[in-house]
Amino acid sequence: MEISSTSKLCLHLISCAFQRCRLSQQLCRLSAVLKSPSPSILQISISDTGIGSCLEEFQDLNCSSIISAEFWDGILSVKTTAICDDEIYHYHFNLRENISSSRTLTRLPSNPKNGLKFSGTEICLSISESIDVLVSEINHFFQKMMILNSPNIAIELLIEREDIPGSRCENVFLANRSNPGPLSTSNVEFLKSGLEDYVLKHGNSLTQKCSTCFATSECLKVGSGIACSTESHKSSGLMMEVVIIISEIESTCPCFRECSSKTEVLYFKDFTPCSISHSTLNVLSTIDWKSYGLTLENVVDQGVCVLEWEDSPSHSQIDMVLHCYHKQYPMLPLGRHKTQPERHLIKKAVKAALNNLKEKHPGILLSAHALKICSHAPDLARSIAGLILSSNDPDFQGECFSLLGLQSREIGADVVEDCIQEKIVSVIEMNDRKSRQRKVVAPFLFEDDCDQDSNYQDKEYEEGEDEFSYVD
């Protein structure tokens, strides 16, 4: 892995610590400590109480561009222990040497654990760097990490300027606990909760939920999708999780975002926030958004990925997060991973999330074709209601009212018309959802004896082919 700056090295080490905590499936602490004994020296310590390091994560680091005599000597000091170890092991990694299996690893004297059972890792380095720039980037990184909403990890950032008395500062980052779940809850459920919290705070621009815009939970419509590749000896198995939220905000709200025609796509790779690759941008541009009533005007890379919509739903904001990660940790060497499976999984998971939204919230993300048909529903309902009410056959009217679920005391032109229109629109929405999954005939407006058509529908189901799945 190419490391081009001190901040990227620190964020990579923090990401590795996060992975170790996640895999422990126990309550863990992740600490980043920045001490500046003088304006020209910065001491960095990144520690965690996770599973302990396997040391392989340091073998592929390429830090040649930031190693120099006056800046950093390229030495990483690593202390680590697993729960089953009797000692705390101490190593020095010399990253000045070329990347290879023979990169120098110096083992220093270990410390006994004296029968105690614990695990963890601490990585230290000393560099010449401005503390202010690093603090800003790490703070922003931790705020993005909160979207993952991992409930078992408490994160702290400690800043101390020894040359300035009283300058000690501590920031603590905790997962959103408004809707707590067991540690065994799936990653995608935590991701949903994390993105909801992000949206409720208007993209973390607020410290608390905006009660003006989001008075009730019904303001948010949430959909999720998962796709995965097969795990084998040549592949660590790839998971792709996608969460999409559509929030409805009144334009009169003071916090209403004028950029409702734009969607920022948040992207995580192996539990680390990062920029989206060009291949992923291409995948997002090839999705058939029009089938969901959306017209993609442009995909813009502005440091972050932004989807620009031509005709976005009025007073609505669409937020999206993608998380791609490997089931195994540490991952196999990067050269063995191919981008093609990832591209396929992205498209599959995004479509699954969109379909999940349509299933859970009827009436949203209707295709342009369905919307066109719905526009004729009032006229059709009015015509059918007129035929029923103008009939002189009381038995015919009674049967119609019974099929509509209406009682005689409720009979009235507006009531009959509204009921018929509701059923027509319901069928159109149902058929629009089904058309993305299987080729089926349109369902009946009224639930009645339709056994004579069951064989035909069964054949249609057999011929249809799934285009997506929530879990592969």
Side-chain angles (χ1 to χ4, degrees), residues 3-18:
I3 302 294
S4 58
S5 66
T6 306
S7 60
K8 286 189 176 181
L9 174 61
C10 290
L11 299 184
H12 173 73
L13 296 176
I14 290 172
S15 176
C16 292
F18 189 90

Side-chain angles (χ1 to χ4, degrees), residues 147-177:
I147 296 176
L148 296 175
N149 201 34
S150 297
N152 66 314
I153 305 174
I155 301 175
E156 62 177 353
L157 173 60
L158 181 63
I159 305 104
E160 187 172 352
R161 302 172 188 263
E162 296 183 5
D163 57 334
I164 304 178
S167 63
R168 180 185 176 93
C169 176
E170 183 179 16
N171 294 337
V172 178
F173 302 85
L174 299 174
N176 174 31
R177 303 307 292 153

Side-chain angles (χ1 to χ4, degrees), residues 37 41-44 71-76 124-128:
I41 299 177
L42 178 59
Q43 297 172 345
I44 302 171
F71 185 70
W72 178 42
D73 59 6
I75 300 298
L76 284 182
C124 299
L125 64 153
S126 182
I127 61 173
S128 177

Side-chain angles (χ1 to χ4, degrees), residues 361-378:
H361 304 283
I364 69 168
L365 297 179
L366 291 178
S367 66
H369 180 66
L371 290 173
K372 184 177 180 180
I373 298 175
C374 283
S375 66
H376 298 289

